[in-house]
Amino acid sequence: MGFVETGVPLKRTAPLLHSSFAAGRRPRLRSRVPRFLIKVDYLHWAFAVAVFFLVVVLFQAFLPGSAVEGPPQQWGSVLEGVGDLEYGDGIKFVPTELVQRLERENQEANASAMAFGEPLKRFPLRKPQLAVVVPDLYPDAMQLKMVSIAAALKESGFDIQVFSFHDGPARIVWRSMGIFLKILPIVTNPETTVDWLDYNGILVNSIQARPVFSCLTFALVCSLLQEPFRSVPVIWTIHESSPALRLDDYSKNGQFQLVNEWKQVFSRATVIVFPTHSMPMMYSTFDTGNFMVIPGSPAEAWEADNFVAMQKDRILRVSMSSTSDNFLIVVVGSQFSYSGMLLEHALVLEALRPLLQKFPSSNSSYSLLKVHILGWNFTSAYKKALEVIAEKVGYPGSIVEHIVINGDTNRYLGVADLVIYGSFLEEQSFPNILKQSMSLGKLIVAPDLNMIRKYVDNRVNGYLFPKENISMLTQILLQATSNGKLSLPAQRVASVAKGYARNLMASEAIQGYVSLLEKVLRFPSEIMPPKAVERIPPEFKEQWRWELFTNVRGEDHLNSSFRSHKYSDTLEEQWNHSQIQSSANTKSKVDEALISIEWEEEKKIEMMGAGKITEEELDRSDQPHGLWEEVYKNVKRAERASNEFHERDERELERSGRRPEADDIDASSHLPILRDGYYRDVLGEYGAFFALAYQIDSIHKNAWIAFQSWRASARKASLSRKAETALLEAIEHQTHGDALYFWVRMDKDPRNPQNLDFWRFCDTINAGNCRTAVSEAFRRMYGVGDDWSSLPQMPDDGDSWSVMHSWALPTRSFLEFVMFSRMFVDAMDTKMYDEHHQSASCYLSTSKDRHCYAHVLELLVNVWAYHSARHIIYVDPESGSMEEYHRPKSRRGKMWIQWFSYSTLKSMDEDLAEEADTDHPDRRWLWPSTGEVFWQGTYEREMNKQQRQKERRKQETKDRIQRIKKRARQKTLGRYVKPPTERSGYRNTSGTI
């Protein structure tokens, strides 16, 4: 985000920001109070009072003595006298960082098109996919806005799907547009995951849609903060202010982690869109250079309709001490606070003074004319200054009131007869409060500022006066009033403005979103680019779709602002509850960890002590008499038992890692190359394949191995229980022998709506360069000449192929496939690493792509299985029925058996291993890092090493036995003779007879 300074220096014209902003640093909010305006500190109070006294002096110097009479010509001299005072120029929001980033990405995308010397091609087979996430389906202004934007995007060529967390009446609106909806439960399970990779972009609306980003508060498994979804472009529209208003409370309460969570969520969005230019300042704490403003919303017109329908006019007049005979003028202004505002209010009050004569009263202290000055941040000092000015100008005490806006502004605007915009600040968009006034059918009078003049046609839908000649304001007011009310021409102007306000700035908002998507989204080669914004029909881009909400307008559930605050309350409660639980769990886990560590250390000490005791007993204690061969066997048995225990402990640790009771492995710790983020991205699932194949005997001991992509589960293409049982039975009975079983078909892939053959489909999803890349990879693998350009045949025989890495193979065949894949990936890496690693440019993608040749690798298993003469069996994921595809008889004369045979691949693998083991080349080389490096020399070296270890252990055992044998023994000192047992009938007869 960027804020730039325009016009005169800021100085003190913007108390909203720190003074460091004038020096070019990022602005920060000084504090946050209701209605997001900043409390004026003592310095600004002093400045406001000084300006006030200056204004009083100027009025005394230049205005006539009479408080009521005075010619309009005097205003010129007044303006000359106050020419050095500032009207609030100087603040503009410019998304500098975001614009530069988007331009840079666009230039890089264009440059990457020819980075490899290969032209990129498009095969427009399907429409771009767009996900729209709304918090609920209740009819409100934000729902109307998203429906209108979606209608324009659908007309431009997008396929749209809507996701929501709560159902509601607006469901029929989306369905009437032919858009599919899906309700996302707050707590989900793996069966309800969403594959966000299916979408080219995501539009998220409202703060209340935050659960789609993170699992920190809600247990939503489809988190956009997690891989692999972090690469999906997200445009998040935020129109609520509740989180920003609570930042100070979070800091005071020490909830810094909650603030950090918000920062993390904000940083995930590609672009965050605000409807007003004040909101980026409110959320400046979370700014990471992705803020943007697209002004325009139907909120003002929607709220005005609701207000009029509720017919609160009479009640509000009574509550605000007004009667139906009063003529109420409401003075409004900018949402920003600045020093020139006091002078502007003084000038407006002076311009209104002649109206006192048109509303005479028998009581000098009372008048039918009422003037209410509305503001968001009136301090007591400011209000006091306005009261003194009003009294000095000549207003009776009951005429001018100063009201701080608190809550719905329609409460105050709805009772007005005329609204004056009393701010001369040049803002970047049309003021929302003027749009609210127009929507309520109120006559507006405003200075002819650039942004106001763009939408208000003088005397057609409003009245304009030049700020340099404020006497025109007096003339307009005199013409617009007649007999204590608005004149008929003024009423017609207000009526025209009301109809005009319903779609005011709709074109800017809708076209702004379409243009933003054009800049942000990058489409794969198989996607048909959407229409440019200029080609969208006017009826879709110049007005809100009010007609779609005709039958659901009366079913508004809750005020959107109320729902926003309620959501923030719920979020804080859940966060506090989770912190309490986390604290308790952390303490429990720490205690358990300490106990576990102490217990493990105690076991180690006991084991070491037991080992020493055993050795000492073997060396020093008496041994049972027996043959030396038996003693030798006992010692070997004890050694084997000790070694087996140690190996089993390491294997168990390897299998479970930091995840107890789990059979999976940490691939990055098992295969170090995956610790490199670049290769973790570019290899994708093949990184897992390589990690599993590396020393597979210690990980996977089954005869078969199978993989199923999480994306298959998201698309409901995963194996059912019935299909799993059928597959296991076929494997156990070896029904098809050495076969590749798969259950996600290429002809059912959404990327292949025209059912293309294998190589055309591969070209389609790889910018037209799949065949070129595969051919060059084979040329590097097999060392053939540069003029060779053949490709393995993949015939279109009516059968389909496997996609999405969902297949099963015998473990031995899997290792053979990995052996082939390692060489293929190494050839691809040799070609693409330098350019792709530096700039992420890849001639297999129309835009920057971290995964580059992942789509080629996705189809590679089909090439290997077909040309290595494996049976290829399709398993229906629902019923489990099986059908063999591409039968061997139909492949005769088409397979490259010699190229894909095990002997050929094994010979190539050993050649590479010998080179890596003996030559130790210093060039960058991926292959040795993707698995085992093994050849005959390695085998012989390991055998020799094992033999030496075996001989060493044998010698150590013999040495121990010799020490025992040669040890001096103490002779027996004597022999114990057991006395004979007494006879049962024997008695001592030495007693008394």
Side-chain angles (χ1 to χ4, degrees):
M1 182 179 84
F3 293 89
V4 299
E5 184 178 342
T6 62
V8 298
L10 276 177
K11 299 180 182 177
R12 298 185 180 89
T13 61
L16 183 68
L17 305 176
H18 276 307
S19 60
S20 61
F21 172 57
R25 293 188 289 271
R26 175 176 294 180
R28 297 293 181 193
L29 289 176
R30 183 180 299 277
S31 62
R32 295 169 179 82
V33 296
R35 305 282 75 81
F36 67 79
L37 289 180
I38 308 309
K39 292 182 179 179
V40 181
D41 57 18
Y42 292 106
L43 176 63
H44 296 117
W45 284 359
F47 182 76
V49 173
V51 172
F52 157 67
F53 283 115
L54 178 60
V55 171
V56 172
V57 171
L58 291 172
F59 272 103
Q60 291 176 345
F62 292 99
L63 294 180
S66 174
V68 178
E69 297 179 358
Q73 290 81 2
Q74 295 291 340
W75 283 108
S77 59
V78 171
L79 291 176
E80 291 177 1
V82 298
D84 294 334
L85 293 178
E86 301 169 2
Y87 289 103
D89 301 333
I91 297 178
K92 277 192 176 182
F93 167 78
V94 179
T96 307
E97 295 182 29
L98 178 61
V99 171
Q100 292 176 351
R101 174 166 62 86
L102 294 178
E103 290 179 352
R104 183 173 62 253
E105 291 177 355
N106 187 49
Q107 293 174 359
E108 291 173 351
N110 295 333
S112 65
M114 296 301 296
F116 292 85
E118 300 291 344
L120 301 182
K121 302 176 183 177
R122 285 197 173 272
F123 299 83
L125 300 179
R126 61 189 183 99
K127 295 181 178 181
Q129 306 293 308
L130 186 69
V132 176
V133 182
V134 294
D136 53 57
L137 294 176
Y138 300 124
D140 58 16
M142 293 304 105
Q143 198 82 228
L144 170 59
K145 180 177 180 178
M146 295 308 297
V147 165
S148 304
I149 294 171
L153 292 172
K154 192 171 186 293
E155 180 64 22
S156 70
F158 281 92
D159 269 347
I160 298 176
Q161 181 170 355
V162 174
F163 297 90
S164 178
F165 298 102
H166 302 282
D167 205 347
R171 167 185 288 270
I172 62 176
V173 176
W174 292 102
R175 284 184 172 176
S176 66
M177 299 169 58
I179 294 178
F180 178 77
L181 293 100
K182 182 175 182 180
I183 303 300
L184 293 174
I186 296 298
V187 180
T188 63
N189 54 62
E191 296 181 357
T192 58
T193 56
V194 178
D195 184 3
W196 298 114
L197 295 180
D198 286 342
Y199 302 95
N200 303 108
I202 304 174
L203 282 180
V204 181
N205 182 54
S206 175
I207 281 288
Q208 301 171 58
R210 180 187 185 273
V212 80
F213 285 95
S214 173
C215 299
L216 296 175
T217 303
F218 301 101
L220 192 66
V221 297
C222 47
S223 171
L224 292 173
L225 280 174
Q226 299 174 349
E227 291 291 355
F229 302 135
R230 289 186 62 86
S231 61
V232 181
V234 176
I235 297 176
W236 191 8
T237 300
I238 296 177
H239 49 83
E240 305 97 333
S241 58
S242 55
L245 299 178
R246 299 173 184 234
L247 286 178
D248 282 346
D249 294 336
Y250 295 159
S251 300
K252 293 177 182 178
N253 299 333
Q255 298 173 305
F256 301 109
Q257 186 176 349
L258 183 58
V259 176
N260 292 334
E261 290 177 9
W262 276 113
K263 289 182 179 179
Q264 184 184 23
V265 173
F266 268 66
S267 64
R268 166 59 185 92
T270 310
V271 181
I272 291 181
V273 179
F274 298 102
T276 67
H277 288 86
S278 61
M279 296 192 72
M281 299 182 187
M282 299 168 55
Y283 286 96
S284 61
T285 302
F286 303 145
D287 182 17
T288 58
N290 58 350
F291 284 8
M292 185 176 187
V293 175
I294 300 180
S297 169
E300 295 80 12
W302 183 285
E303 293 170 3
D305 288 351
N306 291 345
F307 178 83
V308 172
M310 295 174 69
Q311 297 181 349
K312 290 185 176 180
D313 182 80
R314 184 181 61 83
I315 299 176
L316 286 175
R317 282 185 177 273
V318 173
S319 65
M320 298 181 67
S321 301
S322 298
T323 67
S324 58
D325 296 331
N326 289 342
F327 187 86
L328 178 59
I329 297 177
V330 173
V331 181
V332 298
S334 173
Q335 293 178 325
F336 297 102
S337 295
Y338 52 93
S339 60
M341 188 165 57
L342 183 62
L343 172 61
E344 294 165 355
H345 285 156
L347 295 176
V348 171
L349 287 176
E350 179 64 22
L352 291 175
R353 185 165 55 91
L355 288 182
L356 291 173
Q357 298 176 352
K358 299 192 68 173
F359 296 89
S361 176
S362 58
N363 188 351
S364 59
S365 63
Y366 177 79
S367 174
L368 295 179
L369 176 66
K370 299 294 181 181
V371 179
H372 289 175
I373 301 178
L374 304 186
W376 286 267
N377 195 37
F378 285 165
T379 62
S380 58
Y382 192 93
K383 294 178 67 173
K384 184 64 176 178
L386 282 178
E387 290 174 0
V388 174
I389 291 176
E391 182 180 359
K392 182 66 179 179
V393 172
Y395 287 95
S398 61
I399 293 181
V400 179
E401 294 186 22
H402 317 94
I403 300 174
V404 177
I405 297 177
N406 183 17
D408 185 10
T409 54
N410 289 322
R411 297 177 54 212
Y412 310 101
L413 298 176
V415 296
D417 295 287
L418 184 148
V419 177
I420 298 176
Y421 190 73
S423 173
F424 301 157
L425 175 66
E426 285 282 4
E427 299 195 22
Q428 292 178 268
S429 62
F430 191 78
N432 286 342
I433 199 163
L434 279 185
K435 189 160 53 169
Q436 281 181 287
S437 303
M438 297 168 69
S439 300
L440 289 168
K442 307 303 177 181
L443 178 67
I444 64 167
V445 182
D448 60 347
L449 304 175
N450 293 333
M451 191 51 63
I452 296 179
R453 189 169 59 244
K454 180 179 179 180
Y455 298 97
V456 177
D457 191 357
N458 191 25
R459 299 183 181 275
V460 176
N461 57 358
Y463 287 91
L464 298 178
F465 64 90
K467 70 176 183 179
E468 295 82 6
N469 185 12
I470 201 168
S471 61
M472 288 295 299
L473 174 59
T474 304
Q475 297 180 18
I476 291 173
L477 295 175
L478 293 174
Q479 296 173 5
T481 56
S482 176
N483 297 325
K485 59 182 180 180
L486 288 179
S487 63
L488 291 178
Q491 293 179 23
R492 286 195 293 267
V493 169
S495 178
V496 171
K498 182 178 181 180
Y500 177 74
R502 290 184 68 79
N503 294 304
L504 183 62
M505 301 185 72
S507 177
E508 287 82 349
I510 296 174
Q511 295 187 53
Y513 276 89
V514 176
S515 300
L516 179 60
L517 287 174
E518 290 179 356
K519 298 175 182 177
V520 171
L521 302 188
R522 301 287 181 266
F523 300 109
S525 54
E526 76 273 13
I527 295 296
M528 181 186 304
K531 298 177 184 177
V533 64
E534 296 81 9
R535 298 178 56 193
I536 300 178
E539 60 268 22
F540 288 95
K541 64 180 181 181
E542 294 182 357
Q543 58 188 8
W544 308 115
R545 303 302 301 272
W546 293 98
E547 71 280 3
L548 298 177
F549 286 80
T550 302
N551 298 325
V552 295
R553 284 294 305 275
E555 302 181 32
D556 197 351
H557 181 66
L558 289 172
N559 180 272
S560 59
S561 177
F562 175 80
R563 294 201 302 267
S564 173
H565 286 280
K566 184 178 179 181
Y567 172 78
S568 297
D569 293 338
T570 303
L571 186 67
E572 292 174 13
E573 292 175 1
Q574 293 183 350
W575 185 87
N576 292 331
H577 181 68
S578 65
Q579 288 299 109
I580 295 174
Q581 287 187 334
S582 176
S583 177
N585 293 338
T586 300
K587 184 178 184 302
S588 175
K589 291 179 180 178
V590 169
D591 293 340
E592 293 177 0
L594 291 175
I595 294 173
S596 177
I597 292 173
E598 293 174 357
W599 178 242
E600 291 295 330
E601 292 179 351
E602 182 66 22
K603 287 200 299 183
K604 290 181 180 178
I605 294 173
E606 291 181 359
M607 291 171 58
M608 293 175 62
K612 291 180 179 179
I613 293 173
T614 302
E615 186 174 354
E616 291 174 357
E617 288 178 349
L618 287 173
D619 290 343
R620 299 176 183 177
S621 65
D622 292 338
Q623 300 293 321
H625 297 284
L627 298 177
W628 292 115
E629 288 78 2
E630 295 179 358
V631 175
Y632 175 76
K633 290 180 181 179
N634 290 336
V635 172
K636 292 292 292 181
R637 188 180 298 112
E639 288 181 347
R640 284 196 298 270
S642 177
N643 290 336
E644 287 176 1
F645 176 80
H646 181 68
E647 291 173 0
R648 184 166 56 253
D649 183 65
E650 286 185 345
R651 187 182 306 114
E652 185 64 28
L653 182 63
E654 179 182 41
R655 288 172 65 87
S656 61
R658 289 184 297 267
R659 297 173 293 240
E661 301 179 1
D663 291 332
D664 56 347
I665 65 168
D666 185 355
S668 60
S669 63
H670 197 66
L671 193 65
I673 188 64
L674 297 180
R675 296 172 187 168
D676 187 334
Y678 170 79
Y679 282 111
R680 193 164 55 246
D681 289 336
V682 80
L683 293 177
E685 285 84 351
Y686 274 70
F689 297 164
F690 296 163
L692 283 170
Y694 182 66
Q695 298 181 352
I696 194 171
D697 291 338
S698 64
I699 302 173
H700 183 77
K701 297 183 179 297
N702 294 332
W704 280 75
I705 190 168
F707 301 91
Q708 180 167 266
S709 172
W710 59 268
R711 301 191 68 187
S713 301
R715 295 183 181 181
K716 301 188 182 301
S718 57
L719 289 177
S720 64
R721 292 290 184 185
K722 184 177 181 181
E724 288 180 4
T725 302
L727 178 59
L728 291 174
E729 291 178 354
I731 290 174
E732 290 175 358
H733 295 89
Q734 298 184 354
T735 306
H736 303 96
D738 189 355
L740 169 72
Y741 293 93
F742 74 98
W743 47 92
V744 183
R745 292 166 41 169
M746 188 181 76
D747 59 341
K748 301 294 184 181
D749 194 310
R751 298 170 295 178
N752 190 19
Q754 298 186 9
N755 195 19
L756 301 176
D757 62 39
F758 183 87
W759 288 120
R760 288 182 62 197
F761 174 70
C762 190
D763 273 338
T764 298
I765 62 177
N766 288 285
N769 291 314
C770 172
R771 281 182 262 208
T772 302
V774 173
S775 177
E776 185 165 349
F778 280 163
R779 187 166 63 246
R780 290 177 182 271
M781 281 178 61
Y782 294 100
V784 295
D786 294 339
D787 57 344
W788 184 84
S789 60
S790 298
L791 274 175
Q793 296 185 47
M794 302 295 288
D796 184 9
D797 54 6
D799 295 333
S800 191
W801 305 96
S802 172
V803 293
M804 292 176 55
H805 306 290
S806 298
W807 42 263
L809 271 175
T811 302
R812 183 170 182 175
S813 298
F814 168 71
L815 295 177
E816 183 179 336
F817 170 63
V818 168
M819 182 170 59
F820 164 77
S821 301
R822 288 177 60 196
M823 293 182 284
F824 183 87
V825 167
D826 179 66
M828 298 287 285
D829 179 75
T830 303
K831 165 69 176 177
M832 300 185 180
Y833 176 83
D834 292 334
E835 184 68 28
H836 185 245
H837 186 263
Q838 292 176 5
S839 63
S841 298
C842 176
Y843 75 91
L844 295 172
S845 175
T846 55
S847 60
K848 284 187 174 182
D849 190 352
R850 293 179 303 159
H851 307 288
C852 193
Y853 43 85
H855 292 316
V856 174
L857 297 181
E858 179 184 357
L859 303 176
L860 187 62
V861 67
N862 297 285
V863 180
W864 169 82
Y866 184 90
H867 290 278
S868 61
R870 257 80 179 179
H871 294 281
I872 301 177
I873 311 298
Y874 170 69
V875 182
D876 186 279
E878 291 294 332
S879 65
S881 60
M882 301 182 185
E883 181 181 359
E884 183 170 3
Y885 284 179
H886 315 290
R887 294 181 177 274
K889 290 184 180 180
S890 65
R891 303 189 214 171
R892 292 178 180 175
K894 302 176 183 178
M895 293 185 293
W896 289 16
I897 295 181
Q898 293 183 351
W899 295 63
F900 289 82
S901 66
Y902 175 80
S903 58
T904 301
L905 298 177
K906 183 62 177 176
S907 176
M908 295 167 60
D909 183 83
E910 291 186 350
D911 290 344
L912 294 174
E914 182 178 3
E915 179 183 359
D917 192 34
T918 58
D919 297 344
H920 302 290
D922 56 359
R923 72 179 187 276
R924 192 195 61 80
W925 189 12
L926 175 62
W927 183 85
S929 302
T930 56
E932 293 183 277
V933 178
F934 193 86
W935 63 294
Q936 184 63 27
T938 307
Y939 173 76
E940 294 174 356
R941 185 168 60 249
E942 290 184 354
M943 289 297 296
N944 292 335
K945 182 178 178 180
Q946 292 178 3
Q947 184 63 29
R948 289 194 300 270
Q949 292 177 347
K950 181 178 180 181
E951 292 176 355
R952 180 177 57 79
R953 290 194 299 267
K954 185 176 181 180
Q955 185 62 41
E956 290 175 354
T957 303
K958 288 183 178 180
D959 293 343
R960 186 183 300 116
I961 294 173
Q962 288 298 323
R963 289 196 305 272
I964 297 173
K965 184 176 181 182
K966 293 179 180 180
R967 185 179 299 124
R969 297 175 180 273
Q970 184 177 2
K971 294 182 178 180
T972 305
L973 298 178
R975 182 177 181 183
Y976 172 75
V977 179
K978 185 177 181 181
T981 306
E982 294 183 355
R983 292 186 299 273
S984 60
Y986 175 79
R987 293 184 179 181
N988 188 353
T989 60
S990 59
T992 302
I993 300 176

